[in-house]
Amino acid sequence: MITFAENHRPLILVTNDDGIDAKGIRVLAEIAREMGNVLVVASEAPHSAMSHAITVREPLYLTKTCQDDHLIMYKSNGTPADCVKLALHNLLERRPDMVLSGINHGTNSSSSVHYSGTLGAAREGAINGLPSVGFSVLDFSADADFSAAAPFCRHIIGQVIEQGLPAGTFLNVNIPKGNELKGIKVCRQAQGKWMEEFVEHQDPRGRNYFWLTGYFQNLEPQATDTDEYALGHGFVSLVPCKVDISDKDLMESMKSQGYEMNVKGVQTL
């Protein structure tokens, strides 16, 4: 089990879905190290769009890659959610104070929250009762510039350390590309979807295969309280998300509409 020399500092678990060698996770780990002891556990290879996938059909491995002041790093062959699970159950001697995921190279706004491995890791942290935040910058470049994003990440991490988050919640933070950022807007997830297009090709053996491409469509472009609006107007978007996705309003409506029933001789739950 991992023990840090200065145990009075907050213990912060950091992961991502771009892999241990991505620039974004190194930036996030350095920001977190300013505030606490940092354990990085990340995939050895990119796992973008893995959502909350976990590994059940092959063994998982952990390899230490770095140990420095207030920073220890491991890589794994697992998914982002696997990395959180491994850290919590096999590496840390105590529960971390928070889970940070990112900084992702590329957007995770709107419906992308459901596909994102970055947010899958943050959700795994929230499932385990830990304040968790996923960070993304709207730049897919491997050498993306995170200098403008860093102060906003630092501010949000500090707020969560100081104030915590309600149980079962995590934050989805997206940061526009560029240096002219106007601030942070707490907002809701925009209604939108990816318009998938599968381009068909043929491999050297004559077999047809399909390559996913497409574009994002904002289904409410006039709404001013969404993450897409904030990002389009130069603001960092901060969307509070919940692990519990039950539609409680619809639950009550369905009860009144007669969806519930009792089979004769069977008691209600």
Side-chain angles (χ1 to χ4, degrees):
M1 289 290 185
I2 291 172
T3 303
F4 286 92
E6 296 183 40
N7 251 345
H8 63 279
R9 290 164 58 90
L11 178 56
I12 303 172
L13 172 60
V14 176
T15 190
N16 72 345
D17 75 357
D18 290 316
I20 191 76
D21 295 320
K23 183 178 179 180
I25 196 171
R26 297 197 300 271
V27 172
L28 186 58
E30 287 302 319
I31 293 171
R33 182 155 66 154
E34 298 170 10
M35 305 179 184
N37 295 323
V38 177
L39 172 64
V40 173
V41 184
S43 302
E44 60 191 8
H47 280 78
S48 296
M50 290 295 287
S51 187
H52 209 120
I54 58 174
T55 302
V56 295
R57 292 185 175 88
E58 60 184 76
L60 294 175
Y61 300 93
L62 281 169
T63 304
K64 184 186 287 188
T65 63
C66 172
Q67 182 157 357
D68 203 348
D69 290 340
H70 309 300
L71 175 66
I72 300 175
M73 301 180 69
Y74 281 80
K75 66 179 180 180
S76 170
N77 59 319
T79 67
D82 286 331
C83 290
V84 175
K85 288 177 177 290
L86 286 167
L88 297 182
H89 298 289
N90 294 86
L91 289 177
L92 290 171
E93 65 171 358
R94 67 176 178 90
R95 287 167 58 82
D97 295 289
M98 67 188 315
V99 176
L100 304 178
S101 185
I103 301 171
N104 187 65
H105 293 244
T107 179
N108 277 315
S109 58
S110 185
S111 59
S112 294
V113 66
H114 298 291
Y115 304 110
S116 166
T118 302
L119 275 303
R123 188 183 300 108
E124 181 63 32
I127 287 173
N128 284 276
L130 300 169
S132 302
V133 187
F135 293 97
S136 304
V137 167
L138 278 62
D139 187 342
F140 288 94
S141 169
D143 193 35
D145 183 359
F146 294 98
S147 57
F152 298 96
C153 296
R154 191 175 291 111
H155 172 77
I156 292 170
I157 294 168
Q159 289 290 102
V160 174
I161 289 175
E162 181 179 340
Q163 303 183 42
L165 289 173
T169 64
F170 59 100
L171 304 181
N172 181 16
V173 178
N174 283 272
I175 304 169
K177 180 180 178 179
N179 296 314
E180 302 299 323
L181 304 182
K182 299 177 181 178
I184 300 172
K185 290 288 186 185
V186 178
C187 44
R188 66 177 176 86
Q189 172 186 317
Q191 295 182 38
K193 62 176 293 187
W194 285 93
M195 306 299 290
E196 279 91 0
E197 298 174 358
F198 288 88
V199 179
E200 186 172 0
H201 298 281
Q202 196 170 75
D203 70 15
R205 296 185 178 183
R207 297 175 301 181
N208 291 342
Y209 69 92
F210 302 88
W211 197 265
L212 177 63
T213 182
Y215 61 93
F216 176 79
Q217 182 179 23
N218 184 357
L219 298 179
E220 44 178 353
Q222 305 306 316
T224 60
D225 62 341
T226 70
D227 52 4
E228 289 295 327
Y229 181 89
L231 294 167
H233 288 78
F235 286 92
V236 175
S237 68
L238 190 161
V239 178
C241 304
K242 300 185 74 170
V243 171
D244 181 358
I245 59 173
S246 307
D247 188 330
K248 295 180 174 61
D249 292 333
L250 184 57
M251 281 173 55
E252 296 307 312
S253 175
M254 293 177 76
K255 289 177 183 178
S256 67
Q257 292 171 5
Y259 276 85
E260 292 189 331
M261 66 171 292
N262 292 333
V263 177
K264 186 176 181 180
V266 177
Q267 293 182 342
T268 57
L269 296 177

